Amino acid sequence: MGTSAINALREIILEIVRYTAQGQWKILILDEASKRLVDSVVKQDDILQEKVTNIEQIESKRDMKQDLDVIYLLSPEPHIVECLMVDFERRKYRRAHLVWTAFLPLELRQRIDFSITAREQIAQARILNINFFPRESHLITFRDPSSFPMLFHPACNQLVRQHMEDLAQKIVSVCVSLGEYPMIRFYRPQNPLHEAGVLCSHLAKFVQDSLDQHAKHHEDFPPPSPRPRGVLIITDRSMDLFAPLIHEFTYQAMVHDLLPVKEGDKIVYKTIINEGSPKEEVKEMELGEQDRIWVENRHMHMKDLLEKLVADFNKFRADNPQFAENSESSTSINTIKDMIAGLPQFQEGKELYSLHLGMSQELMDIFQKCRLTDIALVEQSMAVGLDEDYKRPKNLTDQIVRLLDDDGVSFPDRLRLVMEYVLYRDGVFRSDTDKLLAHARLPLQDGEIIQNLEMLGARVWKPLKDTKPNPQPMFSRKQPPIIGTEDLSLSRFEPAIKSMLEEHLRGTLDQTIFPYTKPFLDANEGLGNQVNVSQASLRSAKPTWARTRPSAMEPRQRIIVFMAGGGTYSESRACYEVSESSAKDVYLTSSHMLSPGLFLRQVGELSVDRRRLDLPADRPKPKAPAHVYDQEPITASPSGPEPRPNGPGAPASKPKSNPNTTNGAVRLSEKPHPLPSPPFIVAAPSTGKLSKGPKEKKRGFFKF
């Protein structure tokens, strides 16, 4: 399906290693943050094959190797620059090739520029736009859960602007790495009730300014391509508050909602391998792109998944002679697990099938134990506004009260039901909320979580004499399915992001709610049948009214959706489905991914003291470790490259002319000579419009 974000970032990193100090052996130096980024998409063996003798970390103790060139792939942080300057003072390596993962702040760049010792050793310097983490082929995150409180917590007012500028730079990194100079649309809610209602409009402006500055300083951006010009749609969590609360019954969403998966640099699940045999062991299994069963089935509904896993297992058995003795079809999951435990070979296949059969069985056990069928029927009626017969729901309050009184319903599910009921009713009386919490036997503190929905744009409390009409749905309701088709009573809800994408592609997306940052583009390029304008020549593109859908041989247009405040797995599934149905490449990008549990916790934290949030901005700034200042012996490289012409103590020679230097200063805004052009684009200087002005009096949230 189109271009994988993982492969795109992988190629950028490998090519920068391949073409830097080409033909010579070198060392690659990373820092803690850049190592996480590199490890997320590239195997160390692939890097070592590009004439790299070793991969080391700049914060760790390292030997001096003055007969080798070094590639520094670093994060633009003050303590990292401090470690780098110590290396330059020690002349630790022969020549240095500087590569930054994101834009280098002016004060840090000047520290390097003004150092004669550094200038003598730097062969080239450049900035890549790779400060993001592709989790899947079309799912990108920034691994930053703290983005949610920084955008919505009222005590984080002074952090908002800087955080939005940081988000804008990361969004630009995604666009530049994909070679896209997209048209930008953003979510502008009508009559917002919360101060963060202007979030998307400000963020869209920052992104547009940064992209324009980047294009201004790089004549080769965007790279020539017959691909239709891409689209970036910026929205935020307030557009759809049901998506992170409702139970979704596709495999991936259920796993993150109901099972104890551990999310870090990798997503892992602890399972038992070879259960019942002498080789039984508990093992952490990664759920990622290398797991073909996971990739093929993660967006499948659970009832279809169970049937498919059984069919796939029977095919696996038929394809291997180990199963020839037993010709009976296996339809019981327990029977299949017992058979897998007896396989002497195909260890990887054994473990994968054991993992997914075990997880699917555990999910079904939870589904039945926690009354999720009854919960889902009520949830779907509230989220869609229609019951399973596609009529106005009746007696919803009574149904909810019965579920809240049911001991089989977990307490987190009870809280989710109350929050969904408040959203469905567009606010309730305070006394009604207290009664619902009493039925649910939830602590009064959970009332704060419900009230905090106001900070996300929801109306929570309704006055006694309420004359406000019920809000109209943002998108038109879909027609009910034809009688006799598949039962969708538990899956009627679709995230708002799917309706948004479908209406954008049809050219019917309301431009008062989703305007463009550059209105003059609306008439020419905003309609669904006009999106095939190539970005190779934006000013001289020929009309494309004769084409309504690109053929299979044409490059697919890219649509990047950024969800501020966290995305959900149902929204990720929706983007994949729109990609499939429209022959487009739709990428969901967000600061982090939300499970229902994480969403409840983060909404609850919107009313706690900021000091309890442990935000990165409130932590002590990291410093260079003390050992970097220790003297270290010189160690010759075992590979025996060319000796350094000017060793320690030799008279300093005049620095050679360098395409990246002007008047002796390293210019990080220039493209180094030995390296190819795109996708290696150097970040543009930040626009002056985004710089902070003189200190002003404290003003309201999102008011600059």
Side-chain angles (χ1 to χ4, degrees), residues 116-147:
I116 298 177
T117 304
R119 295 201 306 266
E120 290 176 347
Q121 298 174 64
I122 296 175
Q124 55 184 332
R126 67 180 322 143
I127 298 170
L128 294 183
N129 290 278
I130 57 173
N131 194 16
F132 58 91
F133 296 88
R135 175 176 282 194
E136 300 173 7
S137 64
H138 288 63
L139 175 60
I140 300 168
T141 73
F142 301 151
R143 292 187 183 176
D144 185 14
S146 65
S147 179

Side-chain angles (χ1 to χ4, degrees), residues 505 549-550 556 559 575 577-586:
L505 292 172
R549 180 183 175 94
R556 297 157 63 106
I559 302 174
C575 289
E577 290 174 350
V578 173
S579 296
E580 186 68 24
S581 63
S582 65
K584 309 289 184 184
D585 275 343
V586 183

Side-chain angles (χ1 to χ4, degrees), residues 42 90 205 277 313 363 400 480 521 540 597:
V42 185
R90 302 277 175 80
K205 184 180 184 303
S277 72
F313 176 79
L363 289 172
I400 291 174
L521 291 177
S540 60

